[in-house]
Amino acid sequence: MSQSYRSFEPLVVQTIKKTVSWTYIIISKFYQNMSVAMQSDLRIKLDATMRIAVLGTGRVGRAIAARLVDLGHDVTIGTRSVSVTLSRTEPGPKAAPPYSEWQSANPNVRLASFDEAAAWGDVVMNATAGNNSLMVLELAGAHNLASKVLIDLAVPLIYTEGSPPQLAFANTDSLGEQIQRAFPATLVVKTLNTMHVNLMVDPARVPGHHNVFLAGDATAAKETVKELLGEFGWDRDAMIDLGNIRAARATEMYAPLLFALFGACGTSDLNIGVICAPRVLSLVK
């Protein structure tokens, strides 16, 4: 623009242009000076929403689903029959309200059949009773689970009146391994099965240092699970990767001790805190 033209430009227009220009510069500089961590956090919040299918309408499935919705995820709970589940009027185990009542209080959680939920979800969580898990996953469909992360929370327990629950199998096999063998195209990660469901989604209920374990064959799948655990409130340094899915044997076999601790402590708000001594490197000559 020529100097002669500028001389005729009204003073108010020049002032507005300068103000807009300086505002843009200030905003640009602010963003450039943001720490890398702040920008990373912003991107995570913008990209964090996932479609998560939770298989199982019991206390664990409900608690997980409600927490995921609170975190901003799209959630569908899977059940064998939607109509039957919604028609039940009797309380569930430990006086849990009928599902229809819980659904009314949690309208953002959708309900679908196992196969519909598994097909819809980007990530699938197995929150069914352990002895029914393989049957439920068959109903969900191997094709619907293929190439997806399946987070296995279940423990294969046998319940007998008057006695603590017992494991259906141990030592030489685990439910996590059985699921991985039955669905080889699925990325199975075992986690959160060493604590009460309230602690799964709210680790701050127990103060101090305590841990959550992961086991699975796919490293990338475990990273996805770690991100989700972080959203639940678990610190990265509290997450212990035990290696491949075979380590699910160890975490599932912890169940009898967990039940004994519930009785000894008089509360379910408890967990394991692992303290490792510093590693000492020895030089072999």
Side-chain angles (χ1 to χ4, degrees), residues 241-261:
D241 187 342
L242 298 175
N244 63 33
I245 194 63
R246 183 170 178 169
R249 300 179 189 184
T251 63
E252 291 178 16
M253 287 192 290
Y254 169 67
L257 177 56
L258 179 64
F259 296 131
L261 287 171

Side-chain angles (χ1 to χ4, degrees), residues 169-250:
F169 42 83
N171 296 311
T172 58
D173 204 0
S174 67
L175 178 60
E177 289 173 275
Q178 290 187 11
I179 293 172
Q180 188 63 87
R181 287 198 301 269
F183 301 91
T186 303
L187 309 174
V188 180
V189 178
K190 190 84 179 187
T191 192
L192 290 173
N193 61 298
T194 55
M195 64 196 73
H196 190 273
V197 62
N198 292 341
L199 196 62
M200 294 180 188
V201 297
D202 185 13
R205 292 175 68 96
V206 173
H209 169 78
H210 53 102
N211 298 98
V212 59
F213 306 101
L214 301 93
D217 295 338
T219 300
K222 285 188 281 190
E223 284 302 313
T224 297
V225 176
K226 287 177 182 178
E227 291 292 335
L228 196 56
L229 292 175
E231 292 189 50
F232 283 166
W234 291 96
D235 293 332
R236 277 275 174 161
D237 60 2
M239 304 175 196
I240 298 181
D241 187 342
L242 298 175
N244 63 33
I245 194 63
R246 183 170 178 169
R249 300 179 189 184

